[in-house]
């Protein structure tokens, strides 16, 4: 039986999801991915006609079938027949409302990261998923990169011994501009800012590699409160092709935008295992980028490369021994990629790959669709479900909660809502 999906939100990431869907169909054909079966995007929805048309055109060109277009989400749920699930790629404040409405209507829901606007939003989503028995999945992409799969297998196998600490330092410069030229990303009450919007990826990767986090202490700041709204060709040229069609209603290019989301955080994490992590994020590091992603253990250090770059990870040991890329595979003879990832990359064991960002990005989104559909069709769990989505957001918000409170916070308290000082205003403003 075909699993019918509607894509909701046809902006920058929505277009990338459409590419991912086309990649899934082109790679696996009419019968669908192994263990998953056929998936069809029967509708797309955006409140703006232009972006919805653009995404529908792309899907029609890639698959030969044009999805129906809806400009109103509730109307779509009411009128569209045969729908099994929604893929929610709107800006973050709508994720919980759309996912909850979908599950109440008997549909499965996948949301882009972050899973919800706040931890309260995530708890509401999880309660509805539990009550309705519907699948909630989160389209968290970084961990699905084959190089990150290998890194995880290496750490699990003890290739660098007992894990002591991890560094994840991503200090870059937005050159005084609004991230991705999207005004909602400037706003604290819309889960904007690099610490949350980008940091939730770093959080998920740290948890994926190091295991659950127990507590976090952080200093946070908003250094640049007035930022210029620019087009993506000058703000983030690598992503410009995905954002040209979107409609910005929050301002015009050249406007100065009030940026009240945090733009900088320096955090120290204690993992349940006893290991320590350092997470440093900022887009205000002018003239100098600093990036370091590594895991350090009793037998060596794993050096990570940026997710989706295809560049190989590396293990360095005392005495100068270095093991890199495909040579790392010998350390994990039993490691292999899952069938869907292997189908997309053409092999089930690899230490690096040479693809441009576009190709990699769509393969990873294809994996997300397959994982979601497989869980929904089989009654199983997606790899990144509400527990994993909540944990990643709890670490990102834990950083903000700690910065606000000026003390270390326990992640369990962030998940439960016992610590929520930073998020309370957001919940109030957004009517949760
Ligand atoms: N995984 C990643 O690497 C990645 C990258 C970019 C964005 N994202 C996530 O994807 C989501 C979307 O980000 P984006 O950059 O595409 O933002 P965007 O602003 O470009 O797109 C959001 C789209 O949602 C539409 N929308 C908003 N409210 C709507 C409503 N009520 N009904 C119908 N359509 C509505 C908007 O019109 C817009 O086209 C965010 O949650 C973001 O965090 C993830």
């Amino acid at each position: 039986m075909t699993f019918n999906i509607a894509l909701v939100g046809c902006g920058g990431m929505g277009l990338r999801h459409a590419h991912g869907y086309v990649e899934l169909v082109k790679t696996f054909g009419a019968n669908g991915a192994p263990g998953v079966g056929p998936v069809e995007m029967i509708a797309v929805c955006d409140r703006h006609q232009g972006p919805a048309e653009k995404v529908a055109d792309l899907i029609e060109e890639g698959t030969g079938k044009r999805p129906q277009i809806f400009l109103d989400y509730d109307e779509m749920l009411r009128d569209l027949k045969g729908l099994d699930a929604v893929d929610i790629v709107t800006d973050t404040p709508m994720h919980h409302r759309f996912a909850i409405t979908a599950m109440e209507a008997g549909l499965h829901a996948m949301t882009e990261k972050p899973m919800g606007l706040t931890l309260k939003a995530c708890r509401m989503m999880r309660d509805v998923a539990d009550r309705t028995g519907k699948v909630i999945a989160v389209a968290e992409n970084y961990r699905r990169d084959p190089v990150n799969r290998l890194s995880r297998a290496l750490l699990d196998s003890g290739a660098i011994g007992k894990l002591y600490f991890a560094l994840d330092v991503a200090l870059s410069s937005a050159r005084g501009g609004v991230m991705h030229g999207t005004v909602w990303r400037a706003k604290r009450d819309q889960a904007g800012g690099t610490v949350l919007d980008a940091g939730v990826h770093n959080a998920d990767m740290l948890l994926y590699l190091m295991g659950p986090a127990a507590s976090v202490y952080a200093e946070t700041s908003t250094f640049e409160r007035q930022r210029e709204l620019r087009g993506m060709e000058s703000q983030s040229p690598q992503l410009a092709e995905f954002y040209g069609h979107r409609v910005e209603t929050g301002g015009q290019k050249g406007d100065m935008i009030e940026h009240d989301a945090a733009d900088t955080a320096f955090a120290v994490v204690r993992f349940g295992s006893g290991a320590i992590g350092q997470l440093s994020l900022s887009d205000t590091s002018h003239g100098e980028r600093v990036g370091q992603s590594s895991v350090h253990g009793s037998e060596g250090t794993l050096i990570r490369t940026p997710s989706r770059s295809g560049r190989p990870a590396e293990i360095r040991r005392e005495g100068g021994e270095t093991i890199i890329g495909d040579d790392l595979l010998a350390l994990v003879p039993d490691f292999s990629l899952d069938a869907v990832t292997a189908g997309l990359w053409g092999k089930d064991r690899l230490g690096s790959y040479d693809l441009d960002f576009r190709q990699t990005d769509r393969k990873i989104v294809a994996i997300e669709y397959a994982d979601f559909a497989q869980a929904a069709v089989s009654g199983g769990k997606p790899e990144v479900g509400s527990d994993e989505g909540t944990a990643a957001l709890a670490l990102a918000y834990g950083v903000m909660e700690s910065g606000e409170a000026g003390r270390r916070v326990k992640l369990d308290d962030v998940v439960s809502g016992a610590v929520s000082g930073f998020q309370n205003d957001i919940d109030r403003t957004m009517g949760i």
Side-chain angles (χ1 to χ4, degrees):
M1 217 175 66
T2 302
F3 185 66
N4 290 329
I5 304 190
L7 171 59
V8 187
C10 300
M13 197 60 196
L15 189 66
R16 288 163 61 186
H17 275 227
H19 279 295
Y21 165 66
V22 170
E23 181 76 13
L24 181 75
V25 172
K26 281 190 169 165
T27 305
F28 296 107
N31 294 329
V36 178
V39 174
E40 188 176 341
M41 186 75 71
I42 61 169
V44 300
C45 173
D46 197 286
R47 59 185 163 179
H48 299 294
Q49 180 90 29
E53 293 280 357
K54 167 89 179 173
V55 166
D57 289 350
L58 191 144
I59 291 171
E60 184 175 13
E61 226 168 82
T63 67
K65 287 188 183 170
R66 186 173 186 78
Q68 259 182 270
I69 290 177
F70 289 86
L71 302 181
D72 184 275
Y73 181 73
D74 297 315
E75 213 172 282
M76 180 179 84
L77 293 199
R78 196 188 61 218
D79 296 347
L80 184 61
K81 301 285 172 264
L83 189 61
D84 296 303
V86 289
D87 173 28
I88 301 162
V89 198
T90 60
D91 31 74
T92 303
M94 302 307 292
H95 290 186
H96 66 279
R97 178 167 109 60
F98 282 0
I100 287 171
T101 313
M103 290 186 284
E104 299 280 15
L107 305 174
H108 304 284
M110 176 161 79
T111 72
E112 248 306 330
K113 52 52 62 178
M115 175 175 155
L117 178 67
T118 59
L119 272 302
K120 186 170 184 187
C122 292
R123 288 193 296 276
M124 290 162 61
M125 292 160 86
R126 194 179 46 206
D127 287 350
V128 177
D130 288 348
R131 176 161 50 77
T132 59
K134 294 293 155 187
V135 168
I136 178 105
V138 182
E140 172 49 63
N141 42 2
Y142 284 24
R143 61 162 69 200
R144 307 186 208 240
D145 181 326
V147 174
N148 288 334
R149 299 299 201 194
L150 175 58
S151 292
R152 161 81 185 254
L154 288 162
L155 298 181
D156 285 354
S157 75
I160 62 164
K162 180 175 161 51
L163 304 187
Y164 291 161
F165 53 89
L167 301 183
D168 198 350
V169 178
L171 308 178
S172 63
S173 169
R175 295 175 297 108
V178 174
M179 189 179 173
H180 288 11
T182 48
V183 171
W184 65 266
R185 282 191 172 83
K187 305 299 179 190
R188 176 185 193 273
D189 62 13
Q190 297 183 44
T194 198
V195 176
L196 271 169
D197 189 58
V200 75
H201 288 302
N202 303 66
D204 184 69
M205 275 308 299
L206 279 173
L207 299 172
Y208 180 61
L209 296 176
M210 305 294 291
S215 64
V216 63
Y217 174 78
E219 294 288 348
T220 56
S221 198
T222 305
F223 287 120
E224 302 193 341
R225 286 184 175 269
Q226 289 294 317
R227 293 191 177 213
E228 187 182 350
L229 183 60
R230 305 192 187 112
M232 280 292 269
E233 59 297 341
S234 77
Q235 189 61 46
S236 307
Q238 188 196 28
L239 295 174
E241 67 181 281
F242 303 114
Y243 280 79
H245 67 293
R246 76 182 284 282
V247 177
E248 178 55 70
T249 52
Q252 309 277 340
K253 281 183 202 169
D255 285 356
M256 292 307 286
I257 302 293
E258 168 74 19
H259 188 290
D260 63 359
D263 58 27
T264 302
F266 288 80
V268 178
V269 182
R270 175 67 80 171
F271 293 93
S273 66
I276 299 171
Q278 183 193 319
L279 176 60
S280 302
L281 302 161
S282 181
D283 65 357
T284 66
S285 178
H286 296 285
E288 179 74 359
R289 288 177 76 96
V290 186
Q292 167 83 16
S293 226
S294 47
V295 182
H296 305 249
S298 57
E299 309 291 327
T301 294
L302 174 79
I303 309 289
R304 295 173 51 211
T305 51
S307 296
R308 297 168 296 177
S309 70
R311 284 163 39 205
E314 190 175 332
I315 286 181
R316 296 183 194 157
R317 296 216 169 105
E318 299 282 19
E321 186 194 4
T322 294
I323 312 166
I324 183 164
D326 282 356
D327 288 346
L328 291 168
L329 294 167
L331 302 179
V332 279
D334 297 334
F335 164 74
S336 67
L337 296 165
D338 63 276
V340 172
T341 308
L344 287 155
W345 260 266
K347 46 185 163 177
D348 66 3
R349 279 166 63 80
L350 55 93
S352 66
Y353 55 88
D354 186 15
L355 298 172
D356 73 16
F357 174 80
R358 272 188 242 112
Q359 293 171 296
T360 308
D361 192 52
R362 60 190 62 166
K363 285 183 193 302
I364 291 180
V365 175
I367 298 168
E368 293 169 344
Y369 278 126
D371 181 42
F372 173 43
Q374 209 254 344
V377 169
S378 69
K381 282 181 134 224
E383 180 185 349
V384 188
S386 70
D387 287 348
E388 296 77 11
T390 298
L393 191 60
L395 182 49
Y397 266 121
V399 168
M400 299 311 307
E401 293 291 353
S402 171
E404 176 105 340
R407 63 176 176 82
R408 184 161 73 149
V409 299
K410 289 188 182 154
L411 274 313
D412 281 351
D413 290 343
V414 181
V415 170
S416 72
V419 169
S420 62
F422 177 84
Q423 297 162 81
N424 288 342
D425 279 355
I426 303 174
D427 289 334
R428 241 189 324 272
T429 311
M430 302 306 278
I432 299 181

